[in-house]
Amino acid sequence: MKMSPSQPSTPPDAKPSKKLPAGAAIARKVRSPRKSADAPEHGRQSLTPEAWIDAATDVLVDRGIDHVRVDVLATQLGVTRGSFYWHFRDREDLLRRVLEAWRNRATVRLTRRLSLASQDARAQLRDVISLPHRGRSAARAARIELAIRAWARRDQMARAAVDEADQQRIAYHGQIFESLGFEPDEAALRAFVMYSYEVAESLLHQQGQTQDRQRRQAFLEALMTTPLQSSQSG
């Protein structure tokens, strides 16, 4: 039987569709999909592990190792604690990577840069002697070094990192003295004395005026490159 024009075109049992309020259809189309529970927050995406490491280093220098905590760093960075665990397993993981970053910056990359800057051993020695006096960067490096050494007095992981850095730096100094013509045994002794000066000078770099610091550098260079009388007679 043909339907009359007045009959509806939908089946008798179909439910009438609800009329959406004005603008709701457009809103439904542009609504962003719901984030899954595992999706990273904006803070997690914008903060890199290096940002956490730098913040931890700043707190270590200014307040000590006991204050390097997840809640303190999250507050300082303006993010939630959950952002931390996006990059690190726990606090111990962060502390380990703080030490790794310090080792790479203050030992591995530094010695590589110094060795590549000049092939002349005397020039390399002058560069090493001048390290504690290189402005703000040297002062900042000294503060970090002091904070890590203080931490190492009470923590085995930090102690191992400091010992490794000391050994690598002294070994690099020894290579310089061997290149200057000293025998390995004497080169190792001179390297230790040279390194001890650097550590001390980094703590005492504000002693005296610029002229005084320059005199100390010149004296140390002469002292470290002059053979001992016993070496000359032998």
Side-chain angles (χ1 to χ4, degrees):
M1 181 179 67
K2 296 181 179 180
M3 291 189 296
S4 63
S6 61
Q7 288 179 302
S9 58
T10 56
D13 56 348
K15 294 181 181 180
S17 60
K18 294 182 180 180
K19 186 175 181 181
L20 294 174
I26 297 176
R28 177 176 292 180
K29 291 181 181 179
V30 300
R31 183 179 298 168
S32 60
R34 182 179 180 180
K35 292 183 179 180
S36 65
D38 297 332
E41 300 173 1
H42 173 70
R44 294 177 184 175
Q45 291 176 318
S46 58
L47 274 182
T48 64
E50 290 73 25
W52 285 95
I53 292 169
D54 289 344
T57 302
D58 289 342
V59 172
L60 173 66
V61 169
D62 295 334
R63 302 172 64 184
I65 188 61
D66 291 338
H67 293 276
V68 183
R69 304 193 307 269
V70 178
D71 57 335
V72 173
L73 299 177
T75 300
Q76 180 170 311
L77 293 169
V79 296
T80 64
R81 289 167 58 96
S83 175
F84 171 86
Y85 294 104
W86 186 256
H87 300 296
F88 305 94
R89 292 191 303 273
D90 49 27
R91 178 176 181 264
E92 189 78 1
D93 186 28
L94 170 66
L95 296 181
R96 178 181 58 81
R97 292 172 70 175
V98 166
L99 291 171
E100 287 180 356
W102 168 71
R103 173 183 173 273
N104 288 332
R105 178 178 60 250
T107 302
V108 177
R109 290 196 300 237
L110 177 61
T111 54
R112 182 186 300 122
R113 177 170 59 81
L114 291 173
S115 61
L116 294 176
S118 174
Q119 298 299 315
D120 180 65
R122 191 72 176 247
Q124 290 184 26
L125 182 63
R126 291 194 190 100
D127 282 342
V128 167
I129 293 174
S130 69
L131 285 176
H133 305 290
R134 295 191 177 183
R136 293 182 179 179
S137 61
R140 171 67 175 169
R143 293 186 67 203
I144 295 174
E145 184 104 0
L146 182 62
I148 290 179
R149 289 185 181 277
W151 172 19
R153 288 199 297 267
R154 48 187 289 202
D155 181 87
Q156 185 58 39
M157 180 174 65
R159 178 76 263 165
V162 169
D163 288 345
E164 181 184 16
D166 288 341
Q167 291 170 5
Q168 291 178 345
R169 294 169 183 175
I170 292 172
Y172 169 67
H173 291 22
Q175 293 173 7
I176 294 177
F177 286 112
E178 286 190 44
S179 297
L180 288 171
F182 294 99
E183 293 297 322
D185 287 346
E186 185 173 347
L189 293 173
R190 289 175 180 269
F192 186 86
V193 173
M194 179 74 240
Y195 184 63
S196 299
Y197 159 82
E198 287 178 63
V199 174
E201 190 71 73
S202 67
L203 301 177
L204 303 172
H205 66 279
Q206 292 183 338
Q207 292 295 318
Q209 303 299 319
T210 300
Q211 183 178 1
D212 298 317
R213 292 190 287 270
Q214 291 173 346
R215 290 180 62 196
R216 291 200 298 266
Q217 293 179 53
F219 175 79
L220 187 69
E221 180 183 345
L223 182 66
M224 289 289 96
T225 55
T226 302
L228 299 175
Q229 291 297 323
S230 58
S231 299
Q232 290 178 331
S233 60

